[in-house]
Amino acid sequence: MKISVILPSLNPDDKLMLVVKGLIAEGFDDIVIVNDGSDEAHMEPFYEADKLSQVTLLTHEVNRGKGRALKTAFEYCAANRPDIDGVVTVDGDNQHKPSDIKACCEAMISAKDKVILGCRDFSGENVPSKSKIGNNITKFVFRFACGIKITDTQTGLRAIPAAYLDFMSKIKGERFEYETQMLLEMNRQQIGFSEVTIETVYIEENAGTHFHPFRDSIKIYMVILKFIFSSIMSFAIDYVLFLAIELIIGDSLERWAKVLIATAGARLVSSMFNFVFNRKAVFDSKAPVSSSMPRYYLLCVCQAAVSYGLVYLLSDVLVATDFFTSLIKILVDVVLFILSFQIQRKWVFAAHKREDN
């Protein structure tokens, strides 16, 4: 295997050299360390590592974030390691075993065109509660919002084929949110991945990590939440307009006609907002408007018809007043929102296989 190990590091302690020596003992001979703006008090591990022939040291003069450090290394390897099979990203806190790192690289060589993720088992007793809870929540959000079934959403152990380095270096994100953004962009571009189960190691309850749960979780979830923000806003626009139109019409029409007109008018306005926002900000779809718009409005027509039918049927059966009809609409549209989101993700704005130049 011709593998470059990428190791971003900020203010390391003696664990950095344990990682480097473990990698060398496992047979890795090209280790690219990125000093991400460490202070003078933590420079000794870099000085020691830089003496080794197997190590290339890259330096950020100021802290720019883990995402930027990874992209710096990707760009360096793409420009200076033209013959490698790929790279493997490793954390510098000695929580990735050399044997697991090698196993991920071997899996990448076998898979050829897939990214390999070294995934921890979060069911063990040694896993800190905050890590277990955080990963379970993120797993659910990934599965619902993105259709990505993944065991470990925050793993730093990733073996990446060389063909994807240029693509990875252009993904947005400078800090911890970059690793989440990488998974989302892989999904959009239909870059496959496989998982390799690795040993779960937490040293001192993960005290040495530079990941800040509150600050960095906001960044990570903001990346994911934009997938559902537009649907919620569209629902709000639709609901307010539905009530307004019903109020304007009053009792001048029969109930079936009033519900039909209110539903159609509200859906027309909310759908225009939803299409534009979803296409660019949510799914970042590269599909032409000529194909995505007909699919989108076909979905809108079907969704509006189902919404009207269910609201009318339930309000008629329950002999509901206008107020309770509006409550029925909320329940109906919540269910349709979930279904619509998945259809948009999988069909309307479906990702297309990226074409490498």
Side-chain angles (χ1 to χ4, degrees), residues 245-263:
I245 294 172
E246 269 209 328
L247 183 63
I248 292 171
I249 294 174
D251 296 325
S252 61
L253 296 175
E254 294 185 19
R255 173 170 295 279
W256 70 266
K258 182 165 66 172
V259 171
L260 175 60
I261 293 172
T263 299

Side-chain angles (χ1 to χ4, degrees), residues 69-89:
L70 289 171
K71 289 189 281 188
T72 293
F74 293 157
E75 291 166 354
Y76 176 84
C77 290
N80 297 279
R81 302 288 190 270
D83 298 327
I84 59 174
D85 297 310
V87 303
V88 60
T89 64

Side-chain angles (χ1 to χ4, degrees), residues 175-242:
R175 298 189 179 276
F176 282 99
E177 79 276 9
Y178 170 78
E179 291 179 306
T180 299
Q181 188 71 7
M182 180 192 294
L183 297 174
L184 298 178
E185 291 296 334
M186 285 168 50
N187 184 59
R188 287 173 179 165
Q189 301 299 326
Q190 296 186 340
I191 295 175
F193 71 88
S194 294
E195 297 183 350
V196 170
T197 302
I198 62 174
E199 185 175 347
T200 306
V201 180
Y202 283 96
I203 301 172
E204 299 173 355
E205 288 288 304
N206 216 19
T209 181
H210 294 285
F211 183 86
H212 298 271
F214 180 73
R215 185 190 69 193
D216 294 309
S217 291
I218 288 177
K219 293 177 181 178
I220 287 174
Y221 285 105
M222 282 302 294
V223 172
I224 300 173
L225 285 175
K226 68 180 181 180
F227 275 76
I228 60 176
F229 171 78
S230 69
S231 294
I232 294 174
M233 287 300 298
S234 297
F235 168 76
I237 292 170
D238 184 83
Y239 181 62
V240 170
L241 288 176
F242 177 85

Side-chain angles (χ1 to χ4, degrees), residues 7 19 36 105 161 198 217 228 240 249-250 271 286 301-302 321 334:
L7 206 165
V19 175
D36 186 30
C105 294
I198 62 174
S217 291
I228 60 176
V240 170
I249 294 174
S271 68
K286 300 301 187 294
V301 170
C302 293
T321 63
V334 165

